[in-house]
Amino acid sequence: MLNLCIKAENKKLRHSVIWAACVIIPIIPAVMGTFNYQQNLGILTGKWYSLWSQLSLFYACFFYAPLIALYCSYLWRLEHLNHNWNVLMTAPVSIPDIFFSKLAVIFKVTVITQIWLAVLFLLCGKLVGLPGGVPAQILSWLLRGTLAAMAIGALQLLLSMCIRSFSVPIGIALAGSVLGLVISNKGLGLYWPYSLMLMGMNSNKNEDTLAGQSLFFFLSVLFFFLLFSAAGILLLKKRDVKA
């Protein structure tokens, strides 16, 4: 049944604005990060690592979580319109299948977004004349940041389920990301879900900030994923969200 729900959710993405956002929005931090890198070549001497520090700073702080929030808001938007919520809740499928099918589709689009970011990073590096290919360590940071999206996806799906507004959850994601930068700089990032994305991608750092803390990072991602998923499923089971 979960597989059928996922197929139904995938149909909602056909010819949707999500794909335009997936392609266009990551270009913005890629351009901003590359420009900032070129303007500071005197102090940014780590080549690929320095370029990544600038690109990931803009992307993880201002675009990554809001993008996921946009995906979540779009998937719940149809349910909040034209009494579709009643149709959804009376469908012969389980509540967990409804929630996790949406989450699976969100994660799929997020993976595609991350792959596109990796391509943009490679292109930007070659445009500024960096030698060789992208270091494997940076690709591992990108993978960690993708895994962190599981926690944010569950959180934003919960918010978009409860908040009818399309834009408010996106604004919350942006505020949470900016606050996440402050919290992670204070060494408390593992306790704030939005910080996990920055820490996973090693945003604005040349050296791995999670060295020796990888296990705690993955446990934190798992904890928040389970927490927000359980909260979303419980809310769907116990009460109707206004539509």
Side-chain angles (χ1 to χ4, degrees):
M1 189 60 69
L2 177 61
N3 187 48
L4 292 176
C5 291
I6 293 174
K7 289 181 179 179
E9 294 297 331
N10 277 324
K11 289 182 179 179
K12 297 177 183 178
L13 300 184
R14 293 178 181 176
H15 311 295
S16 73
V17 296
I18 277 185
W19 297 116
C22 176
V23 172
I24 296 173
I25 293 181
I27 296 176
I28 301 173
V31 172
M32 294 171 65
T34 303
F35 177 80
N36 202 51
Y37 168 75
Q38 288 187 295
Q39 296 303 307
N40 295 277
L41 290 176
I43 57 176
L44 298 175
T45 59
K47 297 182 180 179
W48 284 104
Y49 288 95
S50 292
L51 177 61
W52 176 255
S53 71
Q54 301 308 297
L55 187 151
S56 63
L57 173 63
F58 290 106
Y59 177 73
C61 287
F62 303 110
F63 296 93
Y64 193 11
L67 260 177
I68 295 176
L70 185 151
Y71 302 155
C72 293
S73 288
Y74 183 85
L75 280 188
W76 275 117
R77 179 174 177 269
L78 294 178
E79 321 300 355
H80 287 307
L81 296 175
N82 301 323
H83 303 289
N84 286 333
W85 188 272
N86 296 330
V87 176
L88 176 70
M89 297 309 295
T90 55
V93 295
S94 69
I95 296 299
D97 283 347
I98 293 174
F99 189 87
F100 285 121
S101 64
K102 290 181 180 294
L103 193 55
V105 171
I106 294 301
F107 190 65
K108 181 192 77 171
V109 180
T110 299
V111 169
I112 294 173
T113 304
Q114 292 290 87
I115 293 173
W116 173 231
L117 181 73
V119 172
L120 289 172
F121 177 62
L122 175 62
L123 292 175
C124 290
K126 290 304 179 181
L127 285 174
V128 298
L130 294 180
V134 178
Q137 187 177 32
I138 293 179
L139 295 178
S140 71
W141 295 344
L142 187 69
L143 176 60
R144 284 190 327 204
T146 305
L147 293 176
M150 293 177 62
I152 298 303
L155 171 56
Q156 292 298 149
L157 203 60
L158 171 62
L159 291 174
S160 294
M161 181 184 75
C162 297
I163 302 173
R164 290 189 62 189
S165 170
F166 185 89
S167 58
V168 169
I170 299 174
I172 293 174
L174 177 59
S177 296
V178 174
L179 183 58
L181 177 62
V182 177
I183 293 175
S184 63
N185 286 338
K186 293 182 179 294
L188 301 173
L190 293 177
Y191 306 102
W192 181 248
Y194 293 100
S195 295
L196 296 175
M197 309 177 81
L198 287 84
M199 297 177 67
M201 296 186 71
N202 214 56
S203 177
N204 199 33
K205 306 290 183 181
N206 286 345
E207 297 181 356
D208 190 358
T209 56
L210 285 177
Q213 294 185 310
S214 295
L215 177 60
F216 296 105
F217 169 78
F218 292 119
L219 288 176
S220 183
V221 171
L222 179 61
F223 170 77
F224 284 119
F225 170 77
L226 294 176
L227 175 65
F228 298 132
S229 296
I233 292 170
L234 183 62
L235 279 175
L236 279 174
K237 285 183 176 181
K238 296 299 183 182
R239 68 181 183 88
D240 285 337
V241 177
K242 286 185 178 181

